[in-house]
Amino acid sequence: AFNLAARRSSRLSRRVGGMFDSELRNYILPMIGQALIQPTFCIIAFAQRRGPVWEWLFGADTDWAAMMVLSYSAGYFAEDCLVNFKDNSWLVAVHHIFCSLCAYLLMLSDEWVGLLIVLGQVMELGSLCLEFGDLRMMPRRLSAVILVITSIVPMACVVAGLFLRFPQRFAVGFMALTMQIVALIRLNEARVYWNKLSQAKALRLNADATSADAPPGSAELCAVSR
């Protein structure tokens, strides 16, 4: 209902540029989930753990808050993939499909539940910062750096987890592998985005230098000629 109403608003339908370069309406619901809903239930799930932190990370202490995180994630990714399939790139669509599948599998898992929930939230933080960057609410270069950090940290934690407590279930191994692949894709996207920002800055500096060297009145003449 929100998406249908937002499509009728010209202000919410404008593209904002940046990493995702999507319409403004497509940022509102994801940012609410990433900034408020998912972190809140993740913190509640950790606070209500019934055993030591180690067992919460590598076990299956799945209380209602943990289930809320996973069910919201599975539902959101599936909904966004279906409702905004025309706006999402194929890469985003594949990401949403696998994230929704992994959230569902994690609800049925009996190991690594807490760890994968936390690492998922770390990666969502990187996506949230990219959205802040697209909306000019933080420097876009900084958002690209945060994307790199929030991709490397989960990769390192998954590798460490394999040595600390190797998963016994195929589904958990599949989710760990999927997280590594997603993190690698994010790193490549961050590299491409950084190069894009660098090229845009170089073009802007070149345009400023050209304007500074131009004789007085040339800018007005160029404007008229266009």
Side-chain angles (χ1 to χ4, degrees), residues 205-221:
L205 292 175
N206 185 52
D208 293 341
T210 302
S211 300
D213 295 337
S218 59
E220 289 79 1
L221 290 175

Side-chain angles (χ1 to χ4, degrees), residues 9-187:
S9 171
S10 58
R11 294 185 63 183
L12 293 176
S13 296
R14 65 179 179 86
R15 292 194 172 273
V16 300
M19 176 73 165
F20 297 112
D21 188 23
S22 187
E23 295 180 3
L24 180 58
R25 64 181 176 83
N26 292 332
Y27 289 84
I28 299 174
L29 292 181
M31 294 180 73
I32 292 175
Q34 292 162 339
L36 297 176
I37 299 175
Q38 291 172 295
T40 298
F41 286 117
C42 186
I43 292 171
I44 294 174
F46 180 79
Q48 293 187 158
R49 67 188 185 281
R50 292 183 287 270
V53 175
W54 177 271
E55 290 301 324
W56 184 81
L57 290 173
F58 290 98
D61 189 3
T62 51
D63 61 2
W64 67 270
M67 290 296 100
M68 283 296 295
V69 175
L70 297 173
S71 58
Y72 173 85
S73 300
Y76 162 72
F77 285 122
E79 176 270 335
D80 188 67
C81 190
L82 294 173
V83 175
N84 297 317
F85 69 94
K86 291 184 178 180
D87 298 321
N88 293 332
S89 65
W90 69 269
L91 193 60
V92 172
V94 171
H95 167 271
H96 283 11
I97 291 172
F98 276 90
C99 286
S100 184
L101 175 62
C102 287
Y104 175 74
L105 291 176
L106 200 56
M107 283 189 276
L108 305 177
S109 177
D110 58 357
E111 55 180 348
W112 277 51
V113 177
L115 179 63
L116 291 179
I117 286 178
V118 171
L119 296 183
Q121 296 311 300
V122 172
M123 299 180 83
E124 285 297 296
L125 174 62
S127 300
L128 177 64
C129 289
L130 281 178
E131 291 158 354
F132 278 132
D134 283 4
L135 299 178
R136 299 291 188 181
M137 298 172 69
M138 70 182 300
R140 288 181 173 177
R141 283 176 172 268
L142 177 59
S143 70
V145 172
I146 295 176
L147 178 65
V148 171
I149 295 173
T150 56
S151 299
I152 293 177
V153 169
M155 290 181 68
C157 290
V158 167
V159 172
L162 294 176
F163 286 99
L164 293 172
R165 183 176 292 185
F166 196 85
Q168 303 301 310
R169 300 285 187 272
F170 172 80
V172 178
F174 170 79
M175 287 184 281
L177 177 62
T178 299
M179 182 167 284
Q180 299 297 78
I181 294 174
V182 170
L184 288 173
I185 294 174
R186 285 160 57 100
L187 289 173

